[in-house]
Amino acid sequence: MVDSTHTIHVDVVSAEESIFSGEARFVALPGEAGELGIFPRHTPLITRIKPGSVRIEMADGSEEFVFVAGGILEVQPNAVTVLSDTAIRGKDLDEEKANSARASAEEALRNAKGDIDIAKAQSELAVLAAQIQALRKYRQKK
């Protein structure tokens, strides 16, 4: 049995599926105002998160990585919930695919006709750059 005073329940959910659910000793993720670190019994909090890596330190000391393309974080003293339109397990990140998508987004930015097209392409580029950075972090930890 896991000692609940030293762990916090973590759920990472995308629009399609639950990506991660389990007990952790610590969670780190990219908040809007900077990196957030969440330990058990953290003060309740709701905030937006930026695209990047969610690092989950498991109860057994191992680590899980999940890339999120931004979203919402809810923290309660005994639970952390990350909601994101797109969330990808670190082991499932594909650098070739991400680089190809980034090249397509860069091309879309060059061909953008109006402010909305430019903003959309810039947003896609920011998410893809964060995904590639998350993949590189994940590979360094392996």
Side-chain angles (χ1 to χ4, degrees):
M1 176 159 167
V2 177
D3 180 0
S4 63
T5 61
H6 294 89
T7 62
I8 190 165
H9 185 79
V10 180
D11 287 308
V12 180
V13 182
S14 76
E16 292 86 30
E17 63 181 319
S18 174
I19 300 296
F20 176 87
S21 184
E23 297 298 313
R25 294 193 298 204
F26 177 74
V27 180
L29 60 154
E32 264 194 333
E35 193 77 7
L36 294 168
I38 310 295
F39 284 100
R41 299 188 306 277
H42 192 283
T43 301
L45 166 74
I46 294 179
T47 188
R48 293 190 335 199
I49 54 175
K50 297 189 313 186
S53 294
V54 176
R55 182 173 63 87
I56 304 163
E57 184 181 315
M58 307 293 290
D60 66 4
S62 64
E63 287 188 339
E64 284 282 329
F65 285 88
V66 178
F67 168 78
V68 292
I72 302 292
L73 167 70
E74 178 188 11
V75 178
Q76 294 296 325
N78 298 311
V80 172
T81 304
V82 177
L83 303 173
S84 181
D85 285 339
T86 302
I88 305 168
R89 291 171 192 86
K91 65 183 181 198
D92 295 334
L93 287 171
D94 182 334
E95 187 168 12
E96 186 176 318
K97 188 175 171 185
N99 281 323
S100 174
R102 183 169 72 174
S104 295
E106 287 169 346
E107 180 69 20
L109 182 59
R110 282 193 293 276
N111 296 328
K113 301 291 185 228
D115 290 346
I116 292 175
D117 290 342
I118 291 170
K120 184 177 178 192
Q122 287 174 330
S123 175
E124 287 176 14
L125 275 171
V127 168
L128 290 164
Q131 184 175 343
I132 292 166
Q133 183 179 13
L135 175 63
R136 290 178 181 154
K137 274 187 187 176
Y138 172 72
R139 285 192 177 152
Q140 287 174 353
K141 297 288 182 184
K142 284 178 69 179

